[in-house]
Each structure stands twice: as structure tokens, then as C-alpha cells.
Amino acid sequence: MSVTPGRNWRTTRLLPEGATGSRAQPAIRIFGRWARGPLLPVTRLWRRNIQLRVVASTLLLSIAVVLVLGVVVIGQVRNGLLDAKRQTAQSQADGGFAVAADAAGAGEDALDGRVVDPGVWLTGMVQQLASGGQGVYSVVALPSEQAASTVGEGTPGAPRGPRASRDVRPEESISAELRAAVDSDLVPHRQYGTIVRPDGGSEAALIVGKRLNDNHGNQYQLYYLFPFTQEEKSLALVKGTIATAGVFLVALLGAIAWLVVRQVVTPVRMAARIAERLAAGRLQERMKVSGEDDIARLGESFNKMARNLQVKIHQLEELSRMQRRFVSDVSHELRTPLTTVRMAADVIHESKDEFDAITARSAELLIGQLDRFESLLADLLEISRFDAGAASLEAEATDLRDVVRRVVEGAEPLAERKGGRLLVRGDERPVVAEVDARRIERVLRNLVVNAIEHGEGNDVVVLLAPAVDESGAVAVAVRDYGIGLGPGEAERVFNRFWRADPARARTTGGTGLGLSISAEDAHLHGGTLDAWGERGRGAQFRLTLPRTIGGTLRASPILLVPADSGSERTPAAPEAGPDAVADAPTADVLAADVPAVPDEDRGVGAAAGHRAGSAPGRTTDGPRPGEGGAGHGG
């Protein structure tokens, strides 16, 4: 089918609706961002400065009030001037009309008594009337359309040309509308018009006109033109006075508002600064109080609160210091008797073959519990170092693959007894970072052993991921397919002595402090330790570390929620704080060569994620509704 050139416009209707708008949207957004750029500092200052808002609002309202009052006052003055002008003009014009009528009735010139030509008579009359109003009004005489000569043969006829004062152009100053109205009847007519000067200038004026008869009975039009020169000067003076007074009034109101608001805002700002100093630990800061008004009472209440807060914090600090010293002293004091008991237990254990079965079993139990006791003491001592701020790093560039190999080799016997395997993924490339190898090995050993304990005999996967750039982070994740974590348990898994199922037996005799110490070790490196779990689908712990000590974490190269979790994953929003890490949506190393979840029916429960090492109780993937279950413990 052909399309004629005249119908080409129809082809535009085949485009999708909104196609042009969709192409224009990026340009609109770019323009919007460009336009908002210079306004951001002003907007931020407006939101944060209450004194600026109050003063600006006062100024705007004051300007509005002054404008309204100015308009009302100027309108009243203008109306008053116009009324006075109309009354004065009407009175002056009526007097002039009466003089012209009397002179026409006399039929002779008032000076010499002679009968004169109508044109000469009219010229003299205009000059006579205009002589008394120089600078106040002008006089114009125009021929009437209804003029008719009433004189006999040989008598001069009616004048034809216009007569006016020397400073007026009569025909341009008097409108045709007014001339027609004057010719319609014998009463005076007035109109607002414009006086046209011979030099080309113009001026607004009130024009009053009437149809009269000259000395020979010929009709003509006589006009009085009253300019608004004085009234305009008076009105301009009033406007200038109101404008000047308005500017001073607005400035005065703004200054008053600034002073009043300052009296209220200054103590509030002082309280905010003191509160920030209190939050920073400077508990001796106080507000200056003067007077007995509401602000003074607020300052006294604030200072009282600060004193009570200082006393309570000092009490808590002293109590915490005593608790830490108690734990440290008890741990140190217990080492000496424990050493003696250990020596005696070793002697008994070496001679267990000479005892009966019950005594030999008791010797084995004694050795096992002594091992656990020694581990608990070591953990308590380590916790006391963290609490006292005495923990230090001996960091050096380390390939985390070597650390993972040592941990895996040490945990393989336990995994074999449980019936599972330890699988390492992502070790094809070096994973180098500045770390304290002893502490990181302890963290990974805790995570791996914990995964084996709660893995229900399934395989445990250890994942490594190098940094994606020079300023990136490295990560190690431990994934198990055991009982997992129930809703809310990921928030408590790093608490001291916490266990998801206290009745659950421990093969390795854990102390409940392993994950707490691991979180402290991660935080000491400037990294994070995150936890995710889902009932029936296992759990994953992710250790993220900066490549260099003191580096800033931006994103982890391993997703916290694994690809085989069965949950819908959305990238977590970046969190505030120096230790916050956002889940990177690009490097998911869980997607390949990961053992599937066993086929037995485990159920689909709730997913939960938690980050340790930055802010307590902060979660990256919040718990979902569902049934709780047993999970990991330190």
C-alpha cells in the first residue's frame, strides 16, 4: 500500500506511546541534577538553621504586610487626589464657561465695546480665559459639528479653526469621543485624557468641555485641560515615603526577629554542642546558666541530667573494670592449680591400664574435662585482653590459602568422624592481605569446627575470594548444610556463651566464646564477620578483611546469602559507619562446584543474616518469619 506525501503524518502514530518521552527522560534527569547542584548547600543550610528560617519567614511576612499596606495607602491617596482634582476642575471650568457665555451674550468685546469678527472674538476669549491659569490648566476652543451661522448677509460667519493655549496641540489632545459627547447636549462633559505638547511631549490630564455660542450665535466647543503634574508629584512623594518607611520597617523587624530568636536558639545550640561532647566522652561539660526563665530552667535540667549521667557512667565503668579485673585475676590464679591438677591427671591417665574399667574411664573423662577447662581459661584470658584494650596485631602480608590449608588439615579428622568432607573453593589465585596469621587461623578454625559440629555429617565448603582491585577486600566464607540458624539467631550467635540449643552435645567441648573471640579478631583487623542461616539449609559465616591494615572496606567479594540457599536475594543497602560492608552483587563464588543440599526433607524455614565486628546487633539480611530451630554456637 502506498502512502501519499500529504499523509506522511500518519506514520508517526505507529511509534510506541511514550517513546519520545522515554528518550527525553535522561536529559531531564541530567538537567534536574545540574539545576539542583547549586541549591543543595542553600537547602542544607535552610534545613539545619532554625534562626535563618525564622528570620527569613519574618522578613517575607513583613514584606507582604508592607506591600499590602502600601497598596491600600497609595490607593486611598490616589482616590483622594482624584476627587479633589475633579472638584477643583469642575468649579474652575464652570466659572470659565459662565464668563464665555456672558461675553457672548454681550455681543461686543469687553475692552473697547466694538463688535468684532467671531474668529477674533474667540481667539481673544481663549487668551483671556487661559491667562488666569498658567501652569494650572490650559484652554482649547474647537468648532462644533452642529455650528450654523445665524448672521445676515455681509456679517462675518462662524470661526472654523481651533484655538488653544500656546503649550497645547488641540486636535491631538481632545479625543473624538469627547467631542461627540460635547456636541450631543449642552451640559459639561469630562474625561481623563492626555495633553499633547507642541514639542511632542504628553501629560495625563482631566479634560472638561462644553458646547457654547460665540458673539454671533455660532456654536463652538470650549475645553479646560487640567494636567496631573502636581498630583503625580504628590503621589510619587507618598510612594517614596512608603517605600523608604517600608524598607526600614522590614529591616527593623528582621533585626528584632534575629535578636529574639538568637536568645532562644543560642542556648539550644549550646545544649547541642554540650550533648555532642558528652557523647564523645567529655562528661565534665556543662551549660552556662543565667537568669530564672524557661531557658535557664532548661539549662539547669540539662546540667542535672549530665551530672547524673556522669555518675552512672563512672559507676558502670568502675563495675566493668572490676569485672574485667576479676575475670583476669581468676583466670591467672586458676592456671597454677590447674597445672598441678593437670600433672596429677597425666600421671593417673598414664597408669589407667592398671586400674579397673570404671577408674580407667574416670581418668579419661578427667583428661577430657581438663582439656576443656584449659581451653576455657585461654579464651577467658583472651577476652580479658580485648576488654582491657591490650590486644595487639602482629600483621604481615600473608596468603590466606596457607592459613586455610593448615586449618583444613587440622580439622579433617573431626570431619571424617562426622562422615563429611572439607572442600576448598576459590584457591586458584593468591588471596594476600596484611593479617595476624595466628588470629586469623584461630578465627577460621572456630568457623570450620563449628560448621562440622552443626553440619549433620554433610560436606563443609571453605570459599576464598581475592580483592577485585588494589583498594578492595579479601574474604573467606565457611558454608555448611546442617541445621542452620532460626529467625533472630544470627543476631545473637556472636554473643558470649550463647548457644542455639544448650541441650545439644558438644563433641569437641566448646566453651561458647569462640565466635565472640572471632568477631573481636575480625574487628581488630578492621574487618567484619557476618552470619547467615536458614533452617534446614545450613549456615554461612563470612570473614571480610581489608588488604592492608587500616584500609577501608567498601564491598565484600563474597555474597553473604549463598546462591544455593533457595532464598530470594536482593543486594543489601550500604550501611553507615566505617566498618560497614555492602554485599557485592558481582562476585558470587558460591555458584560453581558447591555440593547440593541432601535430598532428605529438611523443610524450608527462615533466613537470617548478621554482621559482627562493626556494630552490635546490626543485620545485613534481616530474619524472615518462620519457625526457629537449633543452630550454631561459639
Side-chain angles (χ1 to χ4, degrees), residues 268-283 285-287 302 305-306 309:
V268 175
R269 290 177 177 173
M270 184 185 301
R273 288 194 296 267
I274 299 300
E276 291 176 355
R277 295 171 185 171
L278 291 174
R282 300 168 62 179
L283 302 178
E285 294 288 339
R286 297 293 184 271
M287 286 184 62
F302 186 90
M305 178 194 68
L309 182 63

Side-chain angles (χ1 to χ4, degrees), residues 301-346:
S301 301
F302 186 90
N303 291 339
K304 182 178 180 181
M305 178 194 68
R307 286 193 296 270
N308 294 336
L309 182 63
Q310 183 180 14
V311 172
K312 293 296 183 182
I313 290 178
H314 283 166
Q315 292 176 352
L316 293 175
E317 287 179 347
E318 186 64 24
L319 178 60
S320 177
R321 191 180 301 110
M322 292 176 59
Q323 290 177 342
R324 291 196 299 267
R325 178 175 295 179
F326 174 77
V327 172
S328 179
D329 293 345
V330 168
S331 301
H332 281 90
E333 292 299 327
L334 287 177
R335 295 182 70 88
T336 300
L338 179 61
T339 303
T340 304
V341 174
R342 163 64 72 180
M343 294 173 61
D346 289 340

Side-chain angles (χ1 to χ4, degrees), residues 188-527:
H189 292 267
R190 64 173 177 263
Q191 184 186 59
Y192 293 109
T194 303
I195 298 177
V196 180
R197 301 297 182 182
D199 58 359
S202 61
E203 186 177 7
L206 176 62
I207 304 174
V208 181
K210 186 177 180 181
R211 180 161 56 89
L212 298 171
N213 296 327
D214 60 11
N215 59 341
H216 284 194
N218 299 308
Q219 296 182 356
Y220 70 96
Q221 298 175 350
L222 184 62
Y223 296 94
Y224 275 78
L225 288 74
F226 299 89
F228 289 115
T229 304
Q230 295 299 325
E231 287 75 15
E232 288 180 350
K233 291 181 179 179
S234 301
L235 190 60
L237 178 61
V238 172
K239 289 181 179 179
T241 303
I242 292 178
T244 304
V247 170
F248 282 105
L249 178 61
V250 170
L252 181 61
L253 291 176
I256 294 174
W258 183 80
L259 290 175
V260 172
V261 175
R262 182 180 176 82
Q263 294 180 358
V264 178
V265 171
T266 298
V268 175
R269 290 177 177 173
M270 184 185 301
R273 288 194 296 267
I274 299 300
E276 291 176 355
R277 295 171 185 171
L278 291 174
R282 300 168 62 179
L283 302 178
Q284 72 281 0
E285 294 288 339
R286 297 293 184 271
M287 286 184 62
K288 294 181 180 179
V289 179
S290 60
E292 298 179 357
D293 54 9
D294 295 336
I295 299 298
R297 289 196 294 272
L298 174 63
E300 293 175 354
S301 301
F302 186 90
N303 291 339
K304 182 178 180 181
M305 178 194 68
R307 286 193 296 270
N308 294 336
L309 182 63
Q310 183 180 14
V311 172
K312 293 296 183 182
I313 290 178
H314 283 166
Q315 292 176 352
L316 293 175
E317 287 179 347
E318 186 64 24
L319 178 60
S320 177
R321 191 180 301 110
M322 292 176 59
Q323 290 177 342
R324 291 196 299 267
R325 178 175 295 179
F326 174 77
V327 172
S328 179
D329 293 345
V330 168
S331 301
H332 281 90
E333 292 299 327
L334 287 177
R335 295 182 70 88
T336 300
L338 179 61
T339 303
T340 304
V341 174
R342 163 64 72 180
M343 294 173 61
D346 289 340
V347 172
I348 295 175
H349 188 266
E350 290 176 356
S351 304
K352 67 177 181 178
D353 295 337
E354 302 175 4
F355 303 145
D356 57 85
I358 296 178
T359 305
R361 177 57 180 165
S362 298
E364 293 178 355
L365 293 176
L366 178 61
I367 288 295
Q369 294 303 313
L370 282 174
D371 292 338
R372 184 176 180 184
F373 194 13
E374 286 182 340
S375 177
L376 176 60
L377 278 180
D379 290 344
L380 287 175
L381 285 173
E382 189 68 21
I383 286 291
S384 66
R385 293 191 190 96
F386 283 119
D387 291 341
S392 59
L393 286 177
E394 297 179 1
E396 60 181 358
T398 304
D399 191 344
L400 296 184
R401 296 182 300 175
D402 299 334
V403 180
V404 170
R405 291 191 188 100
R406 292 197 296 270
V407 171
V408 170
E409 289 174 0
E412 277 182 348
L414 177 61
E416 291 177 357
R417 289 198 302 271
K418 286 287 188 177
R421 298 177 300 167
L422 286 175
L423 306 177
V424 180
R425 297 287 182 266
D427 58 347
E428 297 82 6
R429 294 182 296 168
V431 184
V432 181
E434 291 183 3
V435 297
D436 188 333
R438 178 183 64 86
R439 294 183 181 275
I440 297 302
E441 184 174 347
R442 179 171 60 190
V443 173
L444 296 180
R445 183 181 300 109
N446 282 330
L447 298 180
V448 171
V449 172
N450 197 51
I452 295 173
E453 278 285 327
H454 299 85
E456 300 292 310
N458 298 309
D459 293 343
V460 174
V461 181
V462 181
L463 304 157
L464 295 95
V468 295
D469 53 38
E470 291 297 328
S471 60
V474 300
V476 181
V478 179
R479 172 80 161 102
D480 69 75
Y481 297 87
I483 56 179
L485 292 171
E489 292 180 349
E491 301 177 4
R492 304 187 299 273
V493 71
F494 297 103
N495 294 344
R496 298 175 183 179
F497 299 105
W498 182 84
R499 294 184 64 187
D501 185 5
R504 184 178 177 85
R506 287 185 181 268
T507 305
T508 58
T511 63
L513 294 173
L515 290 180
S516 299
I517 295 175
S518 299
E520 294 289 350
D521 282 330
H523 184 63
L524 192 62
H525 283 81

